[in-house]
Amino acid sequence: MKIPLSNPYLSSLEKQLVLQVLNSSQLSQGPQLDRFENKMAQYIGSRHAVAVNSGTSALHLCIKSLGIGENDQVITTPFSFIASANCMLYERAKPVFVDINPNTYNIDADHISEKITARTKAILPVHVFGLPCDMVKIRAIAQKHHLYIIEDACEAIGADCLVDAVPQGQAIKLSSQKVGSIGDCGVFGFYPNKQITTGEGGMIVTNEEKIAMNCRSLRNQGRSENSMWLEHEQLGYNYRLSEVNCALGIAQLTKIHLLLAARARVARWYSERLSNVADIILPPHAVNCRRSWFVYVIRLRDHYGRKDRNKIMNSLKSYGIDCRDYFPPIHLQPFYAEMFSYRRGDFPNTEKVADRTIALPFFATMTEAQVHHVCKILYRIMRNYKYMRHDFMAVNNQIIAN
Ligand SMILES: *Cc1c(COP(=O)(O)O)cnc(C)c1O
C-alpha cells in the first residue's frame, strides 16, 4: 500500500465553480476574487482580506506594506518553512531568530524581549504545524516595545486562541480569536498540502485599511485603486491570484469545517495508536487554544539522533509510506549559515527537535485503515531498531499482530 504525505480534498463543487469561471471567460480580476476575499475575511473575523499568488508573496507584502526595510530587524523563529524568514531578506531587513519552546515547537515568547534592539520593527510568530503561538505574551511584548506583529498562519487556518481579557461587569471575559486576526496582519497559504488549497495561492488578512490598500496596490504592479492601467504609483509586483484559483478557494472555504474535523479525526487515530510507543513523542497538546491540524509530526526521544531518524524515514519510504523531516532549521540552511555565520549549536532547542521529527502521511481523506497501516509499519521498523526500549514490545506486539 502506497500512502502519500498529503493529498488535497477536491469534490464536485470545485469542478463546478472552476468550470463556471472557464465559461465566463473572465480569468483574472473578476468577481471570484471579491467573493474569495470576503469569504475569507468573514471566516477569519478580520476586516480586510487580500488574495495573492502564494503564502510567500503574502509574507513579502506584509513586510513591505509595514515599511520594513534595510537595517530593520524582525524577530522570528528558526523552526519553520524558509519563507517566513526569506520575506525579510527580500527587503534587506534582518531576521533575528529566537529559539523555540521544545514543548510547543513555537517561538519561545519568554526569550523575545532579550533580542529586541532599537532596530527591531516587528515580531513574526509562526503557528508551527497549526498550533497557535502564545499570542497573549507576544502581544504584550509588541505593545510594550511598539512593534508590529505579522502572524504567519499559513499552517494554522481555523486555529484560535484566547486573547483579550475583556471586563464584563464582574466577570473577566476571555475572547477567542482566530489566528491571523490577532496581529497587525496575518498570512495564509494555499499550496496543495495545506488544510485548504487553491493550487497556488495566499492571503493577507488585516483590520487596518491602510495595510490592505497598500497590499492591493503592491500585488497589482503598484497601481492605486483608481489608477489607469498603465499608471503606477510605486514599485509593485504581479502577485495577483487568478479567478480559477479563487474559485477553488471559495469551494474549499465552503467546507472548511468538514475538512478541519476530518483532519482532527485522522490525528486522533494516530494518537490512539502511537501513545503507547515509549520512544515516540506525540504532537504537542493545545493549551488555552484550539489547533488546526496541518501535519501529524512525531518526534523521537533524545537517545535517537538525526542519523537514526533518517534511517527510520528511509525505511518508511521503502515500504511506500511517504514522510518528511519537517523542518530542517532555517539558520542551518547553507545560505543563511554563510550570510549570518550561523553554526550548529546556535539554537539548541530547534536543532534538538528538528533532528528528531518525522511528518507522517496526513490528509483529510485518509482512512483509519491507512493510519493503522502506517503505524504498523512504523512499529515494525522501530521494533527492529537498535535503541528501541524493551517495554515497547509487550505493549505493542498485539497491535503488530493485527
Ligand atoms: C506553506 C507555508 C508558507 C507559504 O508557502 P507558499 O508555498 O509560498 O504558499 C509560509 N510559511 C509557512 C510556515 C508555511 O508552512
PDB file of all heavy atoms in Angstrom, residues 132-167:
ATOM      1  N   PRO A 132      -1.302  27.269  17.742  1.00  0.00           N
ATOM      2  CA  PRO A 132      -1.126  28.711  17.949  1.00  0.00           C
ATOM      3  C   PRO A 132       0.032  29.035  18.902  1.00  0.00           C
ATOM      4  O   PRO A 132       0.248  28.340  19.891  1.00  0.00           O
ATOM      5  CB  PRO A 132      -2.459  29.147  18.569  1.00  0.00           C
ATOM      6  CG  PRO A 132      -3.439  28.129  18.121  1.00  0.00           C
ATOM      7  CD  PRO A 132      -2.672  26.830  18.081  1.00  0.00           C
ATOM      8  N   CYS A 133       0.752  30.105  18.587  1.00  0.00           N
ATOM      9  CA  CYS A 133       1.786  30.631  19.486  1.00  0.00           C
ATOM     10  C   CYS A 133       1.112  31.265  20.701  1.00  0.00           C
ATOM     11  O   CYS A 133      -0.094  31.485  20.717  1.00  0.00           O
ATOM     12  CB  CYS A 133       2.587  31.719  18.782  1.00  0.00           C
ATOM     13  SG  CYS A 133       3.595  31.136  17.425  1.00  0.00           S
ATOM     14  N   ASP A 134       1.926  31.601  21.689  1.00  0.00           N
ATOM     15  CA  ASP A 134       1.410  32.287  22.880  1.00  0.00           C
ATOM     16  C   ASP A 134       1.178  33.760  22.531  1.00  0.00           C
ATOM     17  O   ASP A 134       2.017  34.625  22.778  1.00  0.00           O
ATOM     18  CB  ASP A 134       2.420  32.148  24.025  1.00  0.00           C
ATOM     19  CG  ASP A 134       1.863  32.669  25.339  1.00  0.00           C
ATOM     20  OD1 ASP A 134       0.894  33.467  25.305  1.00  0.00           O
ATOM     21  OD2 ASP A 134       2.383  32.284  26.392  1.00  0.00           O
ATOM     22  N   MET A 135      -0.003  34.039  21.946  1.00  0.00           N
ATOM     23  CA  MET A 135      -0.254  35.390  21.434  1.00  0.00           C
ATOM     24  C   MET A 135      -0.522  36.399  22.544  1.00  0.00           C
ATOM     25  O   MET A 135      -0.367  37.601  22.325  1.00  0.00           O
ATOM     26  CB  MET A 135      -1.416  35.368  20.431  1.00  0.00           C
ATOM     27  CG  MET A 135      -1.107  34.610  19.147  1.00  0.00           C
ATOM     28  SD  MET A 135       0.457  35.068  18.361  1.00  0.00           S
ATOM     29  CE  MET A 135       0.126  36.749  17.844  1.00  0.00           C
ATOM     30  N   VAL A 136      -0.907  35.938  23.730  1.00  0.00           N
ATOM     31  CA  VAL A 136      -1.112  36.864  24.847  1.00  0.00           C
ATOM     32  C   VAL A 136       0.222  37.505  25.206  1.00  0.00           C
ATOM     33  O   VAL A 136       0.350  38.733  25.301  1.00  0.00           O
ATOM     34  CB  VAL A 136      -1.727  36.127  26.062  1.00  0.00           C
ATOM     35  CG1 VAL A 136      -1.783  37.041  27.269  1.00  0.00           C
ATOM     36  CG2 VAL A 136      -3.120  35.607  25.714  1.00  0.00           C
ATOM     37  N   LYS A 137       1.244  36.662  25.366  1.00  0.00           N
ATOM     38  CA  LYS A 137       2.580  37.177  25.711  1.00  0.00           C
ATOM     39  C   LYS A 137       3.174  37.986  24.569  1.00  0.00           C
ATOM     40  O   LYS A 137       3.754  39.056  24.786  1.00  0.00           O
ATOM     41  CB  LYS A 137       3.520  35.998  26.018  1.00  0.00           C
ATOM     42  CG  LYS A 137       3.473  35.568  27.477  1.00  0.00           C
ATOM     43  CD  LYS A 137       4.591  34.591  27.784  1.00  0.00           C
ATOM     44  CE  LYS A 137       4.282  33.884  29.103  1.00  0.00           C
ATOM     45  NZ  LYS A 137       4.919  32.580  29.213  1.00  0.00           N
ATOM     46  N   ILE A 138       3.027  37.466  23.353  1.00  0.00           N
ATOM     47  CA  ILE A 138       3.644  38.132  22.204  1.00  0.00           C
ATOM     48  C   ILE A 138       3.020  39.515  22.004  1.00  0.00           C
ATOM     49  O   ILE A 138       3.717  40.496  21.752  1.00  0.00           O
ATOM     50  CB  ILE A 138       3.534  37.249  20.938  1.00  0.00           C
ATOM     51  CG1 ILE A 138       4.460  36.034  21.080  1.00  0.00           C
ATOM     52  CG2 ILE A 138       3.885  38.055  19.678  1.00  0.00           C
ATOM     53  CD1 ILE A 138       4.324  34.988  20.006  1.00  0.00           C
ATOM     54  N   ARG A 139       1.709  39.606  22.211  1.00  0.00           N
ATOM     55  CA  ARG A 139       1.048  40.897  22.045  1.00  0.00           C
ATOM     56  C   ARG A 139       1.473  41.886  23.129  1.00  0.00           C
ATOM     57  O   ARG A 139       1.674  43.073  22.850  1.00  0.00           O
ATOM     58  CB  ARG A 139      -0.462  40.722  22.032  1.00  0.00           C
ATOM     59  CG  ARG A 139      -1.118  41.869  21.310  1.00  0.00           C
ATOM     60  CD  ARG A 139      -2.382  41.468  20.654  1.00  0.00           C
ATOM     61  NE  ARG A 139      -3.404  41.194  21.645  1.00  0.00           N
ATOM     62  CZ  ARG A 139      -4.699  41.129  21.347  1.00  0.00           C
ATOM     63  NH1 ARG A 139      -5.102  41.305  20.113  1.00  0.00           N
ATOM     64  NH2 ARG A 139      -5.576  40.871  22.271  1.00  0.00           N
ATOM     65  N   ALA A 140       1.645  41.377  24.337  1.00  0.00           N
ATOM     66  CA  ALA A 140       2.078  42.269  25.424  1.00  0.00           C
ATOM     67  C   ALA A 140       3.474  42.826  25.121  1.00  0.00           C
ATOM     68  O   ALA A 140       3.738  44.028  25.321  1.00  0.00           O
ATOM     69  CB  ALA A 140       2.072  41.509  26.746  1.00  0.00           C
ATOM     70  N   ILE A 141       4.359  41.980  24.622  1.00  0.00           N
ATOM     71  CA  ILE A 141       5.719  42.439  24.290  1.00  0.00           C
ATOM     72  C   ILE A 141       5.672  43.463  23.157  1.00  0.00           C
ATOM     73  O   ILE A 141       6.324  44.504  23.207  1.00  0.00           O
ATOM     74  CB  ILE A 141       6.608  41.237  23.876  1.00  0.00           C
ATOM     75  CG1 ILE A 141       6.784  40.272  25.051  1.00  0.00           C
ATOM     76  CG2 ILE A 141       7.965  41.718  23.357  1.00  0.00           C
ATOM     77  CD1 ILE A 141       7.309  38.900  24.660  1.00  0.00           C
ATOM     78  N   ALA A 142       4.876  43.172  22.149  1.00  0.00           N
ATOM     79  CA  ALA A 142       4.782  44.071  20.991  1.00  0.00           C
ATOM     80  C   ALA A 142       4.233  45.427  21.412  1.00  0.00           C
ATOM     81  O   ALA A 142       4.721  46.474  20.972  1.00  0.00           O
ATOM     82  CB  ALA A 142       3.897  43.445  19.911  1.00  0.00           C
ATOM     83  N   GLN A 143       3.232  45.409  22.299  1.00  0.00           N
ATOM     84  CA  GLN A 143       2.645  46.679  22.747  1.00  0.00           C
ATOM     85  C   GLN A 143       3.658  47.494  23.542  1.00  0.00           C
ATOM     86  O   GLN A 143       3.818  48.681  23.323  1.00  0.00           O
ATOM     87  CB  GLN A 143       1.380  46.414  23.581  1.00  0.00           C
ATOM     88  CG  GLN A 143       0.143  46.371  22.691  1.00  0.00           C
ATOM     89  CD  GLN A 143      -1.065  45.748  23.368  1.00  0.00           C
ATOM     90  OE1 GLN A 143      -1.029  45.406  24.555  1.00  0.00           O
ATOM     91  NE2 GLN A 143      -2.140  45.579  22.619  1.00  0.00           N
ATOM     92  N   LYS A 144       4.372  46.793  24.422  1.00  0.00           N
ATOM     93  CA  LYS A 144       5.348  47.482  25.273  1.00  0.00           C
ATOM     94  C   LYS A 144       6.454  48.140  24.437  1.00  0.00           C
ATOM     95  O   LYS A 144       6.900  49.238  24.754  1.00  0.00           O
ATOM     96  CB  LYS A 144       5.950  46.460  26.241  1.00  0.00           C
ATOM     97  CG  LYS A 144       6.895  47.056  27.245  1.00  0.00           C
ATOM     98  CD  LYS A 144       7.297  46.064  28.331  1.00  0.00           C
ATOM     99  CE  LYS A 144       8.519  46.578  29.060  1.00  0.00           C
ATOM    100  NZ  LYS A 144       9.237  45.491  29.732  1.00  0.00           N
ATOM    101  N   HIS A 145       6.883  47.461  23.381  1.00  0.00           N
ATOM    102  CA  HIS A 145       8.026  47.962  22.598  1.00  0.00           C
ATOM    103  C   HIS A 145       7.606  48.610  21.273  1.00  0.00           C
ATOM    104  O   HIS A 145       8.453  48.885  20.430  1.00  0.00           O
ATOM    105  CB  HIS A 145       9.012  46.825  22.337  1.00  0.00           C
ATOM    106  CG  HIS A 145       9.627  46.262  23.588  1.00  0.00           C
ATOM    107  ND1 HIS A 145      10.783  46.757  24.150  1.00  0.00           N
ATOM    108  CD2 HIS A 145       9.215  45.260  24.407  1.00  0.00           C
ATOM    109  CE1 HIS A 145      11.075  46.083  25.253  1.00  0.00           C
ATOM    110  NE2 HIS A 145      10.139  45.159  25.429  1.00  0.00           N
ATOM    111  N   HIS A 146       6.317  48.813  21.088  1.00  0.00           N
ATOM    112  CA  HIS A 146       5.787  49.417  19.862  1.00  0.00           C
ATOM    113  C   HIS A 146       6.250  48.677  18.606  1.00  0.00           C
ATOM    114  O   HIS A 146       6.814  49.286  17.685  1.00  0.00           O
ATOM    115  CB  HIS A 146       6.162  50.905  19.784  1.00  0.00           C
ATOM    116  CG  HIS A 146       5.766  51.662  21.012  1.00  0.00           C
ATOM    117  ND1 HIS A 146       4.435  51.925  21.321  1.00  0.00           N
ATOM    118  CD2 HIS A 146       6.495  52.140  22.047  1.00  0.00           C
ATOM    119  CE1 HIS A 146       4.382  52.566  22.473  1.00  0.00           C
ATOM    120  NE2 HIS A 146       5.614  52.699  22.950  1.00  0.00           N
ATOM    121  N   LEU A 147       6.019  47.389  18.588  1.00  0.00           N
ATOM    122  CA  LEU A 147       6.411  46.581  17.425  1.00  0.00           C
ATOM    123  C   LEU A 147       5.156  46.085  16.702  1.00  0.00           C
ATOM    124  O   LEU A 147       4.105  45.885  17.321  1.00  0.00           O
ATOM    125  CB  LEU A 147       7.223  45.358  17.881  1.00  0.00           C
ATOM    126  CG  LEU A 147       8.449  45.639  18.740  1.00  0.00           C
ATOM    127  CD1 LEU A 147       9.074  44.319  19.205  1.00  0.00           C
ATOM    128  CD2 LEU A 147       9.463  46.461  17.953  1.00  0.00           C
ATOM    129  N   TYR A 148       5.281  45.916  15.416  1.00  0.00           N
ATOM    130  CA  TYR A 148       4.205  45.271  14.661  1.00  0.00           C
ATOM    131  C   TYR A 148       4.227  43.767  14.922  1.00  0.00           C
ATOM    132  O   TYR A 148       5.274  43.195  15.242  1.00  0.00           O
ATOM    133  CB  TYR A 148       4.400  45.476  13.152  1.00  0.00           C
ATOM    134  CG  TYR A 148       4.278  46.894  12.692  1.00  0.00           C
ATOM    135  CD1 TYR A 148       5.365  47.532  12.089  1.00  0.00           C
ATOM    136  CD2 TYR A 148       3.083  47.589  12.810  1.00  0.00           C
ATOM    137  CE1 TYR A 148       5.266  48.833  11.624  1.00  0.00           C
ATOM    138  CE2 TYR A 148       2.971  48.893  12.349  1.00  0.00           C
ATOM    139  CZ  TYR A 148       4.071  49.505  11.766  1.00  0.00           C
ATOM    140  OH  TYR A 148       3.962  50.802  11.311  1.00  0.00           O
ATOM    141  N   ILE A 149       3.074  43.138  14.719  1.00  0.00           N
ATOM    142  CA  ILE A 149       3.018  41.671  14.715  1.00  0.00           C
ATOM    143  C   ILE A 149       2.518  41.224  13.350  1.00  0.00           C
ATOM    144  O   ILE A 149       1.456  41.658  12.888  1.00  0.00           O
ATOM    145  CB  ILE A 149       2.064  41.121  15.802  1.00  0.00           C
ATOM    146  CG1 ILE A 149       2.568  41.492  17.196  1.00  0.00           C
ATOM    147  CG2 ILE A 149       1.923  39.601  15.672  1.00  0.00           C
ATOM    148  CD1 ILE A 149       1.622  41.069  18.314  1.00  0.00           C
ATOM    149  N   ILE A 150       3.304  40.382  12.697  1.00  0.00           N
ATOM    150  CA  ILE A 150       2.883  39.733  11.453  1.00  0.00           C
ATOM    151  C   ILE A 150       2.744  38.251  11.773  1.00  0.00           C
ATOM    152  O   ILE A 150       3.729  37.592  12.101  1.00  0.00           O
ATOM    153  CB  ILE A 150       3.940  39.908  10.337  1.00  0.00           C
ATOM    154  CG1 ILE A 150       4.227  41.396  10.098  1.00  0.00           C
ATOM    155  CG2 ILE A 150       3.490  39.212   9.054  1.00  0.00           C
ATOM    156  CD1 ILE A 150       5.491  41.641   9.268  1.00  0.00           C
ATOM    157  N   GLU A 151       1.525  37.745  11.719  1.00  0.00           N
ATOM    158  CA  GLU A 151       1.333  36.320  12.033  1.00  0.00           C
ATOM    159  C   GLU A 151       1.501  35.481  10.775  1.00  0.00           C
ATOM    160  O   GLU A 151       0.784  35.689   9.796  1.00  0.00           O
ATOM    161  CB  GLU A 151      -0.085  36.079  12.556  1.00  0.00           C
ATOM    162  CG  GLU A 151      -0.345  36.521  13.957  1.00  0.00           C
ATOM    163  CD  GLU A 151      -1.800  36.221  14.298  1.00  0.00           C
ATOM    164  OE1 GLU A 151      -2.117  35.070  14.633  1.00  0.00           O
ATOM    165  OE2 GLU A 151      -2.615  37.154  14.203  1.00  0.00           O
ATOM    166  N   ASP A 152       2.411  34.521  10.804  1.00  0.00           N
ATOM    167  CA  ASP A 152       2.455  33.527   9.734  1.00  0.00           C
ATOM    168  C   ASP A 152       1.525  32.388  10.156  1.00  0.00           C
ATOM    169  O   ASP A 152       1.892  31.509  10.933  1.00  0.00           O
ATOM    170  CB  ASP A 152       3.877  33.018   9.499  1.00  0.00           C
ATOM    171  CG  ASP A 152       3.953  32.045   8.327  1.00  0.00           C
ATOM    172  OD1 ASP A 152       2.901  31.462   7.983  1.00  0.00           O
ATOM    173  OD2 ASP A 152       5.047  31.849   7.771  1.00  0.00           O
ATOM    174  N   ALA A 153       0.296  32.463   9.629  1.00  0.00           N
ATOM    175  CA  ALA A 153      -0.723  31.467   9.966  1.00  0.00           C
ATOM    176  C   ALA A 153      -0.924  30.485   8.813  1.00  0.00           C
ATOM    177  O   ALA A 153      -1.976  29.852   8.709  1.00  0.00           O
ATOM    178  CB  ALA A 153      -2.026  32.171  10.318  1.00  0.00           C
ATOM    179  N   CYS A 154       0.105  30.379   7.960  1.00  0.00           N
ATOM    180  CA  CYS A 154      -0.010  29.523   6.765  1.00  0.00           C
ATOM    181  C   CYS A 154      -0.331  28.073   7.119  1.00  0.00           C
ATOM    182  O   CYS A 154      -0.896  27.351   6.303  1.00  0.00           O
ATOM    183  CB  CYS A 154       1.281  29.575   5.962  1.00  0.00           C
ATOM    184  SG  CYS A 154       1.464  31.108   5.040  1.00  0.00           S
ATOM    185  N   GLU A 155       0.060  27.636   8.311  1.00  0.00           N
ATOM    186  CA  GLU A 155      -0.177  26.240   8.686  1.00  0.00           C
ATOM    187  C   GLU A 155      -1.345  26.109   9.656  1.00  0.00           C
ATOM    188  O   GLU A 155      -1.575  25.021  10.182  1.00  0.00           O
ATOM    189  CB  GLU A 155       1.101  25.668   9.323  1.00  0.00           C
ATOM    190  CG  GLU A 155       2.300  25.828   8.417  1.00  0.00           C
ATOM    191  CD  GLU A 155       3.547  25.128   8.928  1.00  0.00           C
ATOM    192  OE1 GLU A 155       3.549  24.623  10.062  1.00  0.00           O
ATOM    193  OE2 GLU A 155       4.521  25.080   8.157  1.00  0.00           O
ATOM    194  N   ALA A 156      -2.043  27.200   9.900  1.00  0.00           N
ATOM    195  CA  ALA A 156      -2.951  27.180  11.059  1.00  0.00           C
ATOM    196  C   ALA A 156      -4.339  27.744  10.770  1.00  0.00           C
ATOM    197  O   ALA A 156      -5.017  28.208  11.686  1.00  0.00           O
ATOM    198  CB  ALA A 156      -2.306  27.939  12.214  1.00  0.00           C
ATOM    199  N   ILE A 157      -4.797  27.663   9.534  1.00  0.00           N
ATOM    200  CA  ILE A 157      -6.110  28.256   9.244  1.00  0.00           C
ATOM    201  C   ILE A 157      -7.192  27.601  10.108  1.00  0.00           C
ATOM    202  O   ILE A 157      -7.251  26.374  10.219  1.00  0.00           O
ATOM    203  CB  ILE A 157      -6.462  28.166   7.740  1.00  0.00           C
ATOM    204  CG1 ILE A 157      -7.717  28.988   7.451  1.00  0.00           C
ATOM    205  CG2 ILE A 157      -6.639  26.721   7.272  1.00  0.00           C
ATOM    206  CD1 ILE A 157      -7.957  29.243   5.970  1.00  0.00           C
ATOM    207  N   GLY A 158      -7.981  28.438  10.761  1.00  0.00           N
ATOM    208  CA  GLY A 158      -9.076  27.931  11.597  1.00  0.00           C
ATOM    209  C   GLY A 158      -8.701  27.742  13.051  1.00  0.00           C
ATOM    210  O   GLY A 158      -9.573  27.575  13.894  1.00  0.00           O
ATOM    211  N   ALA A 159      -7.405  27.780  13.363  1.00  0.00           N
ATOM    212  CA  ALA A 159      -6.994  27.662  14.770  1.00  0.00           C
ATOM    213  C   ALA A 159      -7.378  28.944  15.499  1.00  0.00           C
ATOM    214  O   ALA A 159      -7.457  30.008  14.890  1.00  0.00           O
ATOM    215  CB  ALA A 159      -5.490  27.443  14.864  1.00  0.00           C
ATOM    216  N   ASP A 160      -7.638  28.833  16.797  1.00  0.00           N
ATOM    217  CA  ASP A 160      -7.892  30.065  17.534  1.00  0.00           C
ATOM    218  C   ASP A 160      -7.280  30.004  18.919  1.00  0.00           C
ATOM    219  O   ASP A 160      -6.863  28.945  19.396  1.00  0.00           O
ATOM    220  CB  ASP A 160      -9.387  30.397  17.605  1.00  0.00           C
ATOM    221  CG  ASP A 160     -10.215  29.295  18.238  1.00  0.00           C
ATOM    222  OD1 ASP A 160      -9.723  28.638  19.171  1.00  0.00           O
ATOM    223  OD2 ASP A 160     -11.361  29.096  17.797  1.00  0.00           O
ATOM    224  N   CYS A 161      -7.163  31.170  19.537  1.00  0.00           N
ATOM    225  CA  CYS A 161      -6.685  31.193  20.916  1.00  0.00           C
ATOM    226  C   CYS A 161      -7.418  32.254  21.709  1.00  0.00           C
ATOM    227  O   CYS A 161      -8.017  33.171  21.166  1.00  0.00           O
ATOM    228  CB  CYS A 161      -5.176  31.372  21.021  1.00  0.00           C
ATOM    229  SG  CYS A 161      -4.396  32.408  19.839  1.00  0.00           S
ATOM    230  N   LEU A 162      -7.367  32.064  23.020  1.00  0.00           N
ATOM    231  CA  LEU A 162      -7.971  33.024  23.932  1.00  0.00           C
ATOM    232  C   LEU A 162      -7.031  34.207  24.030  1.00  0.00           C
ATOM    233  O   LEU A 162      -5.857  34.054  24.300  1.00  0.00           O
ATOM    234  CB  LEU A 162      -8.144  32.386  25.312  1.00  0.00           C
ATOM    235  CG  LEU A 162      -9.182  31.267  25.388  1.00  0.00           C
ATOM    236  CD1 LEU A 162      -9.136  30.587  26.742  1.00  0.00           C
ATOM    237  CD2 LEU A 162     -10.581  31.823  25.128  1.00  0.00           C
ATOM    238  N   VAL A 163      -7.561  35.385  23.806  1.00  0.00           N
ATOM    239  CA  VAL A 163      -6.691  36.547  23.927  1.00  0.00           C
ATOM    240  C   VAL A 163      -7.196  37.549  24.952  1.00  0.00           C
ATOM    241  O   VAL A 163      -7.051  37.329  26.151  1.00  0.00           O
ATOM    242  CB  VAL A 163      -6.375  37.210  22.562  1.00  0.00           C
ATOM    243  CG1 VAL A 163      -5.136  36.601  21.952  1.00  0.00           C
ATOM    244  CG2 VAL A 163      -7.533  37.110  21.609  1.00  0.00           C
ATOM    245  N   ASP A 164      -7.790  38.630  24.497  1.00  0.00           N
ATOM    246  CA  ASP A 164      -8.101  39.740  25.389  1.00  0.00           C
ATOM    247  C   ASP A 164      -8.914  39.346  26.603  1.00  0.00           C
ATOM    248  O   ASP A 164      -9.867  38.602  26.488  1.00  0.00           O
ATOM    249  CB  ASP A 164      -8.890  40.803  24.632  1.00  0.00           C
ATOM    250  CG  ASP A 164      -7.954  41.806  24.018  1.00  0.00           C
ATOM    251  OD1 ASP A 164      -6.870  42.031  24.581  1.00  0.00           O
ATOM    252  OD2 ASP A 164      -8.313  42.347  22.980  1.00  0.00           O
ATOM    253  N   ALA A 165      -8.525  39.897  27.734  1.00  0.00           N
ATOM    254  CA  ALA A 165      -9.386  39.791  28.905  1.00  0.00           C
ATOM    255  C   ALA A 165     -10.292  41.011  28.885  1.00  0.00           C
ATOM    256  O   ALA A 165      -9.880  42.122  29.197  1.00  0.00           O
ATOM    257  CB  ALA A 165      -8.546  39.757  30.159  1.00  0.00           C
ATOM    258  N   VAL A 166     -11.510  40.825  28.473  1.00  0.00           N
ATOM    259  CA  VAL A 166     -12.455  41.934  28.371  1.00  0.00           C
ATOM    260  C   VAL A 166     -13.339  41.941  29.619  1.00  0.00           C
ATOM    261  O   VAL A 166     -14.082  41.004  29.849  1.00  0.00           O
ATOM    262  CB  VAL A 166     -13.346  41.782  27.116  1.00  0.00           C
ATOM    263  CG1 VAL A 166     -14.266  42.985  26.975  1.00  0.00           C
ATOM    264  CG2 VAL A 166     -12.489  41.609  25.880  1.00  0.00           C
ATOM    265  N   PRO A 167     -13.228  42.990  30.456  1.00  0.00           N
ATOM    266  CA  PRO A 167     -14.054  43.010  31.666  1.00  0.00           C
ATOM    267  C   PRO A 167     -15.527  43.149  31.292  1.00  0.00           C
ATOM    268  O   PRO A 167     -15.891  44.031  30.543  1.00  0.00           O
ATOM    269  CB  PRO A 167     -13.572  44.258  32.414  1.00  0.00           C
ATOM    270  CG  PRO A 167     -12.391  44.766  31.665  1.00  0.00           C
ATOM    271  CD  PRO A 167     -12.444  44.200  30.297  1.00  0.00           C
TER     272      PRO A 167
END
